């Protein structure tokens, strides 16, 4: 058994991609046989597409970030993972009950998720910039200055 450590963001991101891939099945039904979803109480099938794509996109971004940026502080990594999950999953309730988007509670949750995710991405970018600058100042550049 391979015991290579895996970054928690990579695990979270790959789980999101996997769920997004599975969401491709109801998305295909929504596209090719939309009547079947209405019998399953899906009122806004276009939200299934958004759920499918957002899970895959956010999951891919989190996976790449976890692989490219090991040791992101937990105070940044956890809100990033939670925010990416909640942002994507926020498309599921309106697929069943479109009117939920008018609910102050739903809007508050979506706003909190968006703020958490956005703030976490800014923090990740700042960490990357700080690490890049530190490497450059210690002569461990990224190789882009070769030949100068």
């Amino acid at each position: 058994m391979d015991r290579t450590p895996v970054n928690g963001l990579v695990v979270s991101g790959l789980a999101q991609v996997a769920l997004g891939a599975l969401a491709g099945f109801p998305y295909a039904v929504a596209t090719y046989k939309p009547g079947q979803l209405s019998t399953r109480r899906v009122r806004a099938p276009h939200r299934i597409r958004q759920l499918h794509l957002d899970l895959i996109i956010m999951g891919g971004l989190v996976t790449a970030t976890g692989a490219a940026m090991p040791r992101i502080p937990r105070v940044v990594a956890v809100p990033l993972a939670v925010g990416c999950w909640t942002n994507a999953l926020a498309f599921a309730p309106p697929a069943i009950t479109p009117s939920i988007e008018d609910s102050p509670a739903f809007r508050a949750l979506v706003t909190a998720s968006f703020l958490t995710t956005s703030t976490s991405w800014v923090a990740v970018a700042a960490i990357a910039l700080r690490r890049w600058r530190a490497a450059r100042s210690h002569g461990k550049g990224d190789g882009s200055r070769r030949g100068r």
Side-chain angles (χ1 to χ4, degrees):
M1 183 170 154
D2 186 1
R3 296 184 189 259
T4 304
V6 178
N7 182 307
L9 281 177
V10 171
V11 174
S12 180
L14 290 174
Q16 254 189 296
V17 171
L19 185 58
L22 291 173
F25 290 105
Y27 172 52
V29 172
T31 302
Y32 299 109
K33 297 191 179 202
Q36 285 187 4
L37 285 183
S38 63
T39 64
R40 291 181 173 85
R41 299 180 40 207
V42 174
R43 304 290 176 250
H46 66 283
R47 295 297 189 190
I48 302 296
R49 179 186 63 235
Q50 290 175 302
L51 173 68
H52 165 68
L53 293 174
D54 215 48
L55 282 166
I56 290 174
I57 292 166
M58 290 297 242
L61 290 170
V62 170
T63 300
T65 299
M69 300 269 307
R71 300 177 325 277
I72 291 177
R74 194 174 292 235
V75 70
V76 174
V78 170
L80 177 64
V82 169
C84 287
W85 274 101
T86 57
N87 268 4
L89 292 175
F91 289 113
I96 307 297
T97 310
S99 63
I100 197 169
E101 291 182 292
D102 297 327
S103 159
F106 183 79
R107 285 185 178 203
L109 288 172
V110 169
T111 299
S113 174
F114 182 76
L115 288 171
T116 299
T117 307
S118 299
T119 303
S120 298
W121 280 120
V122 170
V124 168
I127 292 165
L129 179 61
R130 190 170 40 250
R131 289 180 184 177
W132 178 71
R133 284 183 175 162
R136 286 187 65 204
S137 70
H138 289 93
K140 299 178 188 174
D142 60 5
S144 63
R145 297 181 60 85
R146 262 182 267 180
R148 290 188 189 178

